[in-house]
Amino acid sequence: MTKEAFTRAVEERAKRSGFTRALYETLDEYQAEERKVTELPVACSRGCSYCCHQMVCVFPEEMQEITEYINRLASPARRSLREQAREILGKWQEWFKIHIRVSPRQVHNPIELARAWLWKPCPLLQQDGSCGVYEARPLVCRTTTSDTKCGTLAYKQKGHAEQARLKCEVWANNLQVERSTSHGVSVVVPLHHYLTTKPHKL
Ligand code: SF4
C-alpha cells in the first residue's frame, strides 16, 4: 500500500465514476485493508453520533455528491430528511443573522465558528443517530475515528476522536486538497451554508 498506488487507483476509477466517488470507494477499500494490517482499534459504530455534533465543513465537489445522493432517495425518505434538516438549518440561519451583525469576525473564522457551533447536531443527522447520507458522507466524516467509545468514562479520561489515523486517510485528504486547489478552491465551507444556499438548498 503506497500513496502512488492509492492515487493511481483513484485516477483509474475516476474515469468511470467521477473523482469524489472514486476517492470514497478507493478509501473504503484501503481503510479495510489497512485496519486489518495495523489492527487499529476503532470503537465507532452506527448510532454513535458524537462527531456529528459540531460544524462539519466540506469541499464543493463533496457537496455535489451529497445533493445527488439526496435527490436519488425515494420520496418519503427524502421528505423526512429535508424536514428534519430544515428545522436545524432554521436555527442556524437565525443564529447566523444575529452574529453576522454583532460579530462578523466570528462567522467568517472557521475556528470560532466551530467553537460556537459545538454540540449542535449536523443537519443530516437522523433521529436514530445514523447519518442521512451515509454512502455520500464527506471526507471529514469518513476519516474521523476514535479508539474509545465516545461518552464512556474511558473516553473522558484518555480518548478523543481524531482525523486521519490511517495512512490512506492522510493520502485521501491530501489528494482532495490538491485537487480542490488545482480547481481554484482552497477552502472548505460549512455544510450549513451549502444546504441553505442555491444550488444545494434543501
Ligand atoms: S454528514 Fe453524516 S456522518 Fe457527517 S456529521 Fe453529518 S450526519 Fe454525521
Side-chain angles (χ1 to χ4, degrees), residues 21 63 81:
R21 185 91 317 259
M63 199 56 229
L81 183 80

Side-chain angles (χ1 to χ4, degrees), residues 63-75:
M63 199 56 229
Q64 191 58 35
E65 193 71 20
I66 292 172
T67 302
E68 285 170 14
Y69 179 86
I70 295 174
N71 290 340
R72 281 197 305 270
L73 286 175
S75 125

Side-chain angles (χ1 to χ4, degrees), residues 129-184:
S130 66
C131 172
V133 296
Y134 188 76
E135 288 81 4
R137 69 199 185 288
L139 210 47
V140 64
C141 308
R142 290 171 180 270
T143 57
T144 302
T145 52
S146 173
D147 61 357
T148 332
K149 186 98 184 129
C150 296
T152 59
L153 186 60
Y155 180 83
K156 283 180 193 142
Q157 285 167 346
K158 73 174 249 299
H160 60 91
E162 280 176 63
Q163 205 190 351
R165 294 166 70 213
L166 294 173
K167 274 193 287 188
C168 64
E169 294 171 347
V170 177
W171 301 336
N173 281 322
N174 289 346
L175 214 53
Q176 176 66 75
V177 171
E178 279 164 28
R179 164 139 176 136
S180 298
T181 311
S182 75
H183 283 69

Side-chain angles (χ1 to χ4, degrees), residues 13-119:
R13 270 207 172 97
K15 289 177 193 163
R16 298 186 298 275
S17 59
F19 175 81
T20 309
R21 185 91 317 259
L23 184 68
Y24 292 169
E25 285 174 6
T26 310
L27 179 62
D28 284 347
E29 275 178 22
Y30 270 65
Q31 280 173 319
E33 199 50 42
E34 200 178 331
R35 276 192 195 126
K36 258 192 265 164
V37 177
T38 59
E39 295 181 3
L40 185 84
V42 177
C44 311
S45 59
R46 185 184 167 91
C48 176
S49 57
Y50 268 70
C51 293
C52 303
H53 286 78
Q54 57 182 308
M55 179 62 67
V56 175
C57 292
V58 303
F59 285 100
E61 281 180 299
E62 296 193 285
M63 199 56 229
Q64 191 58 35
E65 193 71 20
I66 292 172
T67 302
E68 285 170 14
Y69 179 86
I70 295 174
N71 290 340
R72 281 197 305 270
L73 286 175
S75 125
R78 193 169 59 237
R79 197 175 326 115
S80 127
L81 183 80
R82 282 196 170 131
E83 275 167 16
Q84 200 182 307
R86 280 178 188 152
E87 201 183 311
I88 297 166
L89 291 169
K91 290 184 187 144
W92 153 258
Q93 283 176 309
E94 276 170 33
W95 182 91
F96 193 85
K97 245 190 260 164
I98 296 168
H99 283 75
I100 191 83
R101 282 199 303 270
V102 297
S103 179
R105 202 175 64 88
Q106 186 185 35
V107 294
H108 291 300
N109 179 323
I111 296 169
E112 290 198 30
L113 197 54
R115 205 173 288 140
W117 209 249
L118 196 60
W119 301 124

